[in-house]
Amino acid sequence: MSGGKMLRQFHFWVLAALATVLLSGCGSDYLVLNPKGPVAETQYNLIIISVILCAIIIVPVLALTAFIVYRYRDTPENKAPYKPNWAHNTTLEVIWWGIPVIIIAILGYFTVRDTYALKENPNKEVKPMTIQVTALDWKWMFTYPDQNIATVNYLEIPAGVPVHFQVSAEAPMNSFWVPELGGQIYAMSGMATELYLQADKPGEFAGFSANFSGEGFAHMQFKVVAKPQNEFDQWVKQVKGTTPEMTKQDYEELKKPGVMKEEKMYSAFPEGLFEEIVQRYSHGHDMNHVMHPEEAATTKETEQGSDMSQMPGMDHSKMNH
């Protein structure tokens, strides 16, 4: 074996050993592939389906590539026939175009199905609670409109209850992400995006900022704690009884750029704070369908009923009965 070839093999094994040692520090749990709720479970299944479907194409292609490179390598002892003339084969054309088209169609079906399903409450039997999320520089603020409490860099939710997150930002565009509970959703100034998440069982989960937003981006992390409903209710009572109220001045201090590693809790917050943040940069866009989905649905049904009643030829007396 030549010295150059031995050196290349040595480099390869050294790099392989280094990769093994360094990657072993990542731990046994990969958060994205460790679903702890129905939303994350649906997304996990979609990932697995996508991997399998892609492997049906990629594995044979890589195997054929390796075979062709070896079979037709340019060496003196290789006796593979050399036929540089082009030829058409209908069967092969159908195979290598038909199979990818079928796979893409199957993948598209599952993707569209799950995308629409994930926009809805994952547990129709349980009424969701609402939590408003505001991305600041460089911290996360959570307001609970039903409980009238607020937290910073800390999120507590009841296990087994779907949570309807309304997400916005009073800072550069960001991304709200709790990998073990579901995918990320963007936080944008002047807009309110929405995301449903649910923790099946009590536990602690890591939350992250998944979009680069400046100097303190790496420190925009928060802890998510899921507890049984009775313990969650006790926590709410404790917050309301032992912490100060958030004033407008407190919020003005919070939104100033700066890293905040500690957690904060408030027994109340200014009424309509989240709506005010969204409307401040919305430039007239209607966000009612996100911030008040039930009212928006009722309004839509009323408008549709009004449109139908005005259609020519419609028997209005029957509609009234």
Side-chain angles (χ1 to χ4, degrees):
M1 184 181 292
S2 64
K5 190 172 182 179
M6 289 181 63
L7 183 61
R8 286 195 298 272
Q9 288 194 358
F10 175 74
H11 287 165
F12 169 79
W13 289 112
V14 168
L15 290 173
L18 285 174
T20 302
V21 172
L22 294 175
L23 293 177
S24 65
C26 294
S28 58
D29 288 340
Y30 296 90
L31 298 183
V32 176
L33 303 179
N34 188 33
K36 297 297 184 181
V39 174
E41 186 73 32
T42 299
Q43 294 174 340
Y44 171 80
N45 292 335
L46 183 58
I47 291 173
I48 297 303
I49 291 172
S50 302
V51 169
I52 293 172
L53 292 174
C54 291
I56 292 174
I57 295 177
I58 293 174
V59 172
V61 168
L62 293 178
L64 284 171
T65 301
F67 170 76
I68 291 171
V69 169
Y70 178 81
R71 181 71 178 88
Y72 297 98
R73 66 195 186 283
D74 186 15
T75 58
E77 65 274 11
N78 185 13
K79 303 301 181 184
Y82 176 66
K83 297 178 180 180
N85 298 320
W86 290 97
H88 175 75
N89 188 305
T90 302
T91 303
L92 290 178
E93 290 281 355
V94 170
I95 291 173
W96 62 53
W97 285 109
I99 293 177
V101 168
I102 293 172
I103 289 175
I104 290 172
I106 296 172
L107 183 59
Y109 164 76
F110 284 110
T111 302
V112 171
R113 183 198 67 179
D114 290 346
T115 298
Y116 278 95
L118 291 170
K119 285 184 64 65
E120 305 294 332
N121 178 1
N123 188 350
K124 302 295 184 182
E125 298 178 357
V126 180
K127 182 181 178 181
M129 69 172 292
T130 299
I131 296 179
Q132 299 161 334
V133 183
T134 305
L136 304 172
D137 273 336
W138 288 276
K139 55 195 81 76
W140 292 98
M141 182 180 73
F142 304 98
T143 50
Y144 297 66
D146 296 331
Q147 291 76 21
N148 191 30
I149 62 172
T151 62
V152 178
N153 291 340
Y154 179 82
L155 178 62
E156 189 154 317
I157 59 176
V161 176
V163 182
H164 180 215
F165 289 98
Q166 299 171 345
V167 186
S168 190
E170 185 149 30
M173 180 176 175
N174 219 301
S175 180
F176 171 77
W177 191 27
V178 186
E180 291 176 284
L181 299 184
Q184 61 87 30
I185 191 75
Y186 284 114
M188 296 173 280
S189 300
M191 294 188 67
T193 54
E194 58 182 337
L195 175 70
Y196 281 97
L197 297 179
Q198 177 181 320
D200 284 335
K201 298 178 180 179
E204 292 189 7
F205 314 101
F208 302 94
S209 162
N211 191 78
F212 180 76
S213 59
E215 180 183 1
F217 151 76
H219 300 286
M220 283 191 70
Q221 300 179 12
F222 57 94
K223 182 168 67 173
V224 182
V225 178
K227 292 182 177 180
Q229 182 69 58
N230 61 329
E231 294 185 20
F232 173 78
D233 294 337
Q234 292 175 4
W235 172 76
V236 171
K237 290 180 181 179
Q238 180 184 356
V239 172
K240 294 188 76 67
T242 60
T243 61
E245 295 185 6
M246 178 193 293
T247 64
K248 281 291 184 71
Q249 184 176 357
D250 292 330
Y251 177 70
E252 291 298 322
E253 289 296 320
L254 277 176
K255 76 176 187 179
K256 291 180 180 179
V259 174
M260 180 183 291
K261 296 184 179 180
E262 68 271 17
E263 300 166 355
K264 281 193 174 183
M265 300 179 191
Y266 299 91
S267 59
F269 61 92
E271 184 179 358
L273 177 61
F274 181 78
E275 290 80 1
E276 180 184 327
I277 294 168
V278 174
Q279 295 298 332
R280 187 176 301 153
Y281 307 102
S282 66
H283 305 292
H285 295 297
D286 183 15
M287 291 287 109
N288 194 55
H289 64 286
V290 174
M291 293 186 288
H292 306 287
E294 294 179 357
E295 294 179 11
T298 303
T299 303
K300 185 176 180 180
E301 290 175 1
T302 303
E303 291 175 350
Q304 289 176 345
S306 176
D307 292 341
M308 289 182 65
S309 65
Q310 297 175 12
M311 291 176 62
M314 181 69 70
D315 190 340
H316 302 300
S317 62
K318 291 183 179 179
M319 289 182 62
N320 292 334
H321 292 296

